[in-house]
Amino acid sequence: MDILSDILHVAGLRRRLLDLHALSPEAALRFPCDRSFGLHAVTRGRAFVHAPNLDEPLELQTGDLVLMARGCVHLLSLDREPPARSTTVPIARFVGGGLADTAPDSRAPHDPAAPTQVISAAYQLWHDPLHPFLRSLPPWFVVRGHSLPQLSAVPLTLGLLDRELGDQALGATSATHGLLDALFAFALREIAARENPGVPGWTHAIADRPIRQVLTLMHGNLGHGWTLDELGQQVGLSRSALAERFRSAMGDTPLNHLRSLRMQKAMQLLAETRQTLEHVAQAVGYQDAFGFSKVFKRTTGQSPRQFRDQDAADRQTEWRIQEAS
């Protein structure tokens, strides 16, 4: 099982390409991404990211990529100094008034001769709390193009994406979306590869074979009534050895982590299906709806019914991405 892909699927990841932009000195682009990961990649020139949670602007050069993992409204400009709000242009101007699929007549203007070109995308994770892996990501993470081998995944994918967006040849939409997802995955790989080795986390757990097996068992069957004894037997560890090793790798207990996974899956089922509360409870390992509802409310702050009603109302929000296409 590809655990990362499962995490992103269960979290309800939705993607929108915000297109290729030619930045000009006259105006900065404003991205309203309160519940989104933001991704910006500079294919030509130099740009600066301005955000409330940055001590100073992030400078991006050709080949650099930045991933924002804490949603906030931020600006993209050619200048190190923060632009005045009167000179900022909402990104909605370029995507038909919202995060709709990019259409030929709503694409951001880009000039092949422009000194700075930036590819931008939003990866939205609407529901909270997030999976522990996603919560652990740094607020901003920059991949410097000059630090990577020329034929490594990020520069190769970025080059192909830049060409597809510029040419708009036959099949460009499908190719672009696939390349964009690949770029996002490669950025997450870079974050995982550079994680502090002294800090417990998801990456260290994946590197520990028995713990990775335990995580795979959990992800593969959340409806099963897993116990610490059974999980230990499956991977050849005693109950106490598994508990100690899991906590050392993940910074959490196996059953607490299992509970988090179950609540993630429950949010997905409540939001994306009309299954009864009893069916949702059983799908995530609870024998009855009452016990499930107590844990769900303690985790999310809402009852399952309130969560489902709120999700239905949120679907009318302008910046809610409805589907990953």
Side-chain angles (χ1 to χ4, degrees):
M1 168 180 278
D2 181 351
I3 298 178
L4 177 56
S5 294
D6 186 64
I7 289 172
L8 296 176
H9 171 68
V10 171
L13 186 75
R14 298 291 183 265
R15 171 254 295 130
R16 279 297 183 268
L17 170 66
L18 303 180
D19 220 335
L20 176 66
H21 316 291
L23 293 184
S24 66
E26 294 79 23
L29 292 176
R30 185 168 70 250
F31 295 84
C33 298
D34 289 344
R35 297 200 192 186
S36 298
F37 282 26
L39 185 151
H40 302 290
V42 179
T43 60
R44 185 185 308 135
R46 181 180 70 167
F48 291 90
V49 178
H50 305 269
N53 59 352
L54 287 172
D55 293 333
E56 59 183 28
L58 280 177
E59 181 177 355
L60 303 175
Q61 302 281 355
T62 301
D64 290 350
L65 177 152
V66 62
L67 183 67
M68 176 196 72
R70 300 287 185 277
C72 67
V73 176
H74 59 284
L75 305 175
L76 197 63
S77 77
L78 291 178
D79 301 315
R80 184 180 296 275
E81 293 301 316
R85 183 174 177 84
S86 60
T87 65
T88 64
V89 179
I91 190 62
R93 178 83 59 84
F94 298 137
V95 288
L99 292 178
D101 282 327
T102 305
D105 59 350
S106 64
R107 300 182 61 211
H110 54 270
D111 177 3
T116 297
Q117 296 268 18
V118 182
I119 296 170
S120 300
Y123 278 83
Q124 195 169 84
L125 296 156
W126 194 262
H127 298 131
D128 189 63
L130 293 175
H131 184 279
F133 168 68
L134 299 172
R135 287 202 311 268
S136 72
L137 296 175
W140 295 91
F141 182 80
V142 180
V143 178
R144 297 295 181 188
H146 65 74
S147 69
L148 301 171
Q150 188 175 4
L151 296 181
S152 62
V154 170
L156 284 176
T157 306
L158 186 55
L160 288 170
L161 186 56
D162 184 36
R163 188 173 70 182
E164 289 297 325
L165 282 170
D167 293 348
Q168 285 296 294
L170 190 65
T173 298
S174 297
T176 296
H177 288 166
L179 289 166
L180 189 64
D181 288 346
L183 191 63
F184 181 68
F186 293 146
L188 292 179
R189 280 188 194 175
E190 287 292 328
I191 294 175
R194 303 180 195 190
E195 189 174 62
N196 187 336
V199 177
W202 187 79
T203 305
H204 306 305
I206 294 300
D208 186 324
R209 185 176 179 82
I211 302 306
R212 180 170 183 156
Q213 289 177 318
V214 168
L215 290 172
T216 301
L217 289 168
M218 291 178 178
H219 279 268
N221 191 356
L222 290 173
H224 184 72
W226 295 111
T227 65
L228 201 53
D229 286 327
E230 184 179 9
L231 288 168
Q233 291 171 6
Q234 290 283 341
V235 298
L237 294 174
S238 69
R239 174 191 177 97
S240 59
L242 172 59
E244 181 179 352
R245 195 158 170 171
F246 194 97
R247 183 184 286 277
S248 177
M250 287 287 289
D252 197 3
T253 68
L255 296 185
N256 276 343
H257 186 72
L258 177 60
R259 187 180 303 114
S260 296
L261 296 182
R262 285 172 166 166
M263 293 304 103
Q264 294 292 314
K265 183 66 175 180
M267 287 191 290
Q268 181 202 16
L269 292 174
L270 290 167
E272 298 180 5
T273 77
R274 302 312 301 170
Q275 291 183 20
T276 66
L277 195 54
E278 289 74 17
H279 279 103
V280 172
Q282 292 173 9
V284 296
Y286 289 84
Q287 294 183 347
D288 62 82
F290 179 73
F292 161 71
S293 296
K294 287 179 61 178
V295 177
F296 188 88
K297 186 166 185 177
R298 187 165 66 242
T299 303
T300 68
Q302 295 179 303
S303 70
R305 182 182 296 276
Q306 289 171 329
F307 176 87
R308 183 170 260 170
D309 290 344
Q310 183 64 56
D311 180 77
D314 285 348
R315 291 181 185 276
Q316 308 305 314
T317 304
E318 180 184 9
W319 291 105
R320 174 78 179 264
I321 302 174
Q322 299 303 329
E323 60 183 29
S325 56

